[in-house]
Amino acid sequence: MKKVCFLFAFLLVLSSCSSDDNTTTPVEGEDVQVKSRLVISATATDVTVGEVVEFTAKDKSGAVVEDAKFVVNSSSISAKHAFDKAGQYAVSAIHKDFAGSNEVVINVGKATLELRLSHKEVTEGETVTFQVFNGEEELSSGVKIYEVGSEKALEQMTYVAKTPGQVSFVAKGEGFTDSNQVSLTVLEDKTPYQDTLVLSGDAFEIDAVSFDFDVKEVNGKNVGTVKKTVNRQQKVDN
């Protein structure tokens, strides 16, 4: 009798273990497919703003999945992408035939601007031109030129030298680290004036003049009269 009871208890335990098994038994005739995950990689994971990163998605066999889409914060990006702001970005891939992918984290730092000057030394009154680069790319928008020590940006990418001495400049832009400083030396214009006018014993060098041309009819003929007017004078030091 004891042997019978022991055998019954053993069969009961075996039946219980079989019912707790998580293995799913395929239904006869049903085609069961388990989707695999994509594996993505990037050409670089530490870049600067504006630097292009290329992403690749592959299946478990290593074959490239050309039509996979890449996603950052639920927004799609192209396989070749340049981030326009500094920060940390987790990139993944999606495809209808795959169960998601791994994530690749891209660290984007601020790029440092490079400022170039057309001339390092000019004479007062002359104009210099600025160029701003991000790596090899010249930037024509999104950057401003500042005179060092001033909070006001220049209105254009040019500067007219007015006062003899030395002046320095720096380029700034959102998402970028400030550029290197460039210095400009402004020399005094010592070019002599061509004309001199003496008034009451004082000599004046004439900077500019204007002419008024009047035409009048005299005895049936047109006669022209020219009047010369001095616009600006500079006293000559004795």
Side-chain angles (χ1 to χ4, degrees):
M1 183 64 181
K2 289 183 178 180
K3 290 182 178 181
V4 173
C5 291
F6 177 80
L7 180 61
F8 177 78
F10 176 78
L11 292 175
L12 184 62
V13 171
L14 183 62
S15 175
S16 176
C17 291
S18 177
S19 64
D20 288 342
D21 190 353
N22 291 325
T23 304
T24 302
T25 304
V27 178
E28 185 177 353
E30 182 180 9
D31 185 13
V32 179
Q33 294 182 348
V34 178
K35 294 183 178 180
S36 60
R37 289 170 60 82
L38 289 169
V39 178
I40 66 171
S41 59
T43 52
T45 55
D46 292 291
V47 297
T48 55
V49 172
E51 185 176 350
V52 176
V53 182
E54 185 172 356
F55 300 96
T56 303
K58 297 181 180 181
D59 61 19
K60 62 181 180 181
S61 68
V64 176
V65 180
E66 298 289 353
D67 54 347
K69 294 183 178 180
F70 299 96
V71 179
V72 177
N73 297 331
S74 301
S75 298
S76 296
I77 61 172
S78 61
K80 293 182 179 180
H81 183 73
F83 296 92
D84 58 3
K85 291 184 179 180
Q88 192 175 74
Y89 300 88
V91 182
S92 59
I94 56 175
H95 191 283
K96 61 183 179 62
D97 296 330
F98 294 85
S101 75
N102 60 307
E103 285 188 344
V104 173
V105 177
I106 308 298
N107 299 300
V108 182
K110 290 184 177 182
T112 300
L113 296 173
E114 180 188 357
L115 180 60
R116 301 178 188 177
L117 196 57
S118 60
H119 300 83
K120 293 183 179 181
E121 185 177 278
V122 295
T123 301
E124 56 181 328
E126 293 183 338
T127 301
V128 293
T129 302
F130 299 98
Q131 289 179 293
V132 182
F133 289 84
N134 174 22
E136 296 299 322
E137 179 187 5
E138 183 174 1
L139 304 179
S140 58
S141 62
V143 292
K144 295 286 186 180
I145 308 299
Y146 292 81
E147 184 176 337
V148 174
S150 173
E151 298 296 327
K152 185 179 180 180
L154 302 184
E155 295 182 358
Q156 299 179 341
M157 298 292 281
T158 57
Y159 175 80
V160 179
K162 297 179 180 179
T163 306
Q166 190 172 70
V167 59
S168 298
F169 302 91
V170 64
K172 299 182 180 183
E174 184 177 356
F176 294 95
T177 300
D178 293 353
S179 75
N180 54 305
Q181 290 187 14
V182 294
S183 296
L184 173 67
T185 299
V186 181
L187 304 176
E188 182 182 356
D189 183 7
K190 295 184 179 180
T191 304
Y193 293 99
Q194 300 300 316
D195 297 313
T196 302
L197 178 67
V198 179
L199 295 175
S200 301
D202 292 326
F204 294 86
E205 291 178 331
I206 301 173
D207 186 334
V209 296
S210 65
F211 295 90
D212 294 328
F213 189 77
D214 296 328
V215 178
K216 296 181 181 180
E217 186 176 339
V218 179
N219 298 327
K221 296 182 179 181
N222 292 328
V223 178
T225 302
V226 178
K227 180 189 292 184
K228 182 178 180 182
T229 304
V230 178
N231 285 346
R232 185 164 74 90
Q233 303 170 349
Q234 179 176 334
K235 186 176 180 180
V236 179
D237 295 329
N238 293 326

